[in-house]
Amino acid sequence: MREGRIIKSISGFYDVIDSKSDKLVRTRARGNFRKRGIKPIVGDIVSYEDGGDLGYIMELLPRTNSLVRPPIANVDQAIVVTSAVEPNFSSNLLDKILVNIEHNDIQPLIYLTKTDLIDQAQYEQLKQTLAGYEIADYKIFDDKDSYNQQQIEKLESNFQDKVTVFTGQSGAGKSTLLNHINPELNIATAEISQTLNRGKHTTRQVSLFEISGGLVADTPGFSSLELINIDKEELSNLFPEFVKFSHECQFRGCNHANEPGCKIKELVNSGKIMKSRYENYLYFLNEINSYKKRY
């Protein structure tokens, strides 16, 4: 029995790269996988038998994490691509993406695109907004020239020995960014729908590519997420800057909403924690409560 990682899935076939030889083997899943409700996805570590022309996946090894949208497993970090305009920057959507990524124990990095479409004053304001995420220890890539070589190389330096997923709102420029990183990938891109102000889904499937010593995925975008798998007790732990200071709250298990002596609210009022991040936290908290009441 051999071991490898699925790097591509298409029409019931799975391309597996062997963990020892780096040999690429096309496989199919065992017939009983479907009966057991098991579906391999890109990123899965598998045990397989190499049958020559076609191998067979015999077992899925335990996942460290997995995402539903995009469907990928065992991710180390996520590059959250967010655009300045077309579609317009949304702190609410960015924070919701970050919360979902944190929920899956994945390290987020934030990459700003389409800054060439805004003037200097707008750029400075947006740059100041993103600077507020540094208190959460997020790495920020927000140069005025989104795709300058120095920033691209700085981003690539984070890929070594990691599985990296590119994600973010549809049309934000994930495929364009990857094409700048490695033009040979030639990933399809499309213009923004001016009517809907949303991107057309240009990435049809998830694949892993070897770049700068790691594996990198290009993934379908999305414009909304539901926090259906997150409990309200967990939510505050998905804001790293809250975790940093929550031990200074007056009450243990502070919800940072209506409790007196809350250090987080104090830091928000003093400007040390972004007001928009806190407001989005309260919005998500209400969203989770509303969802739980419905279901």
Side-chain angles (χ1 to χ4, degrees):
M1 199 84 71
R2 300 184 180 184
E3 187 175 301
R5 184 191 298 270
I6 297 174
I7 63 169
K8 187 174 183 179
S9 169
I10 183 169
S11 302
F13 293 93
Y14 303 93
D15 288 348
V16 174
I17 186 166
D18 190 90
S19 58
K20 291 185 178 180
S21 67
D22 286 337
K23 178 183 176 182
L24 188 63
V25 181
R26 176 148 291 189
T27 68
R28 298 204 73 159
R30 293 177 62 186
N32 66 354
F33 274 31
R34 181 177 296 180
K35 295 178 182 179
R36 294 158 56 194
I38 299 173
K39 181 175 176 58
I41 59 176
V42 167
D44 270 328
I45 307 296
V46 300
S47 294
Y48 73 98
E49 291 182 349
D50 188 354
D53 292 336
L54 185 66
Y56 285 90
I57 296 174
M58 308 303 290
E59 181 184 1
L60 298 187
L61 277 63
R63 296 167 176 167
T64 57
N65 55 52
S66 64
L67 300 177
V68 176
R69 293 189 305 169
I72 188 170
N74 301 312
V75 177
D76 297 305
Q77 62 185 6
I79 313 301
V80 183
V81 182
T82 183
S83 58
V85 289
E86 298 183 6
N88 293 332
F89 175 81
S90 167
S91 66
N92 184 279
L93 179 57
L94 174 58
D95 286 342
K96 186 172 283 192
I97 294 172
L98 292 173
V99 163
N100 277 276
I101 291 171
E102 293 279 2
H103 173 67
N104 286 280
D105 293 323
I106 297 170
Q107 178 63 45
L109 298 83
I110 301 172
Y111 200 104
L112 181 65
T113 61
K114 302 189 180 181
T115 46
D116 59 314
L117 301 179
I118 58 176
D119 60 33
Q120 189 62 32
Q122 292 172 313
Y123 169 69
E124 292 298 337
Q125 183 177 3
L126 191 50
K127 188 176 177 67
Q128 184 177 358
T129 298
L130 289 176
Y133 287 84
E134 293 178 355
I135 194 174
D137 296 326
Y138 292 136
K139 290 184 180 179
I140 313 294
F141 300 83
D142 59 358
D143 286 2
K144 186 65 168 74
D145 178 2
S146 300
Y147 305 118
N148 73 82
Q149 191 59 36
Q150 185 177 1
Q151 178 161 268
I152 294 293
E153 291 176 358
K154 182 181 176 183
L155 179 65
E156 284 189 65
S157 69
N158 294 277
F159 292 169
Q160 183 73 37
D161 298 324
K162 293 180 180 177
V163 174
T164 302
V165 63
F166 279 61
T167 192
Q169 188 174 9
S170 300
K174 298 178 298 300
S175 295
T176 300
L177 176 56
L178 265 174
N179 284 336
H180 276 83
I181 293 172
N182 188 340
E184 293 181 1
L185 294 178
N186 196 29
I187 297 171
T189 58
E191 295 181 355
I192 299 298
S193 166
Q194 297 297 328
T195 302
L196 298 178
N197 193 31
R198 293 184 300 188
K200 299 175 182 177
H201 292 271
T202 57
T203 306
R204 303 302 181 186
Q205 62 190 28
V206 182
S207 299
L208 287 172
F209 305 94
E210 186 174 356
I211 300 177
S212 299
L215 292 172
V216 178
D218 184 34
T219 64
F222 47 79
S223 56
S224 64
L225 287 167
E226 290 186 353
L227 306 173
I228 58 177
N229 295 318
I230 298 175
D231 294 326
K232 62 179 182 180
E233 292 78 12
E234 180 192 8
L235 183 62
S236 65
N237 293 326
L238 304 179
F239 285 73
E241 65 271 48
F242 292 9
V243 176
K244 272 187 183 181
F245 302 104
S246 60
H247 66 281
E248 298 182 37
C249 289
Q250 182 176 340
F251 298 106
R252 185 176 179 179
C254 180
N255 210 30
H256 317 310
N258 301 311
E259 301 88 342
C262 175
K263 183 66 176 180
I264 303 305
K265 289 192 291 185
E266 177 187 323
L267 293 173
V268 171
N269 291 333
S270 67
K272 292 184 178 180
I273 287 181
M274 294 174 65
K275 184 178 180 181
S276 63
R277 287 274 286 173
Y278 180 68
E279 289 175 345
N280 286 336
Y281 164 73
L282 296 178
Y283 181 89
F284 301 156
L285 194 63
N286 182 64
E287 185 176 325
I288 291 171
N289 287 333
S290 297
Y291 182 85
K292 299 302 180 185
K293 288 179 180 178
R294 291 200 308 268
Y295 299 96

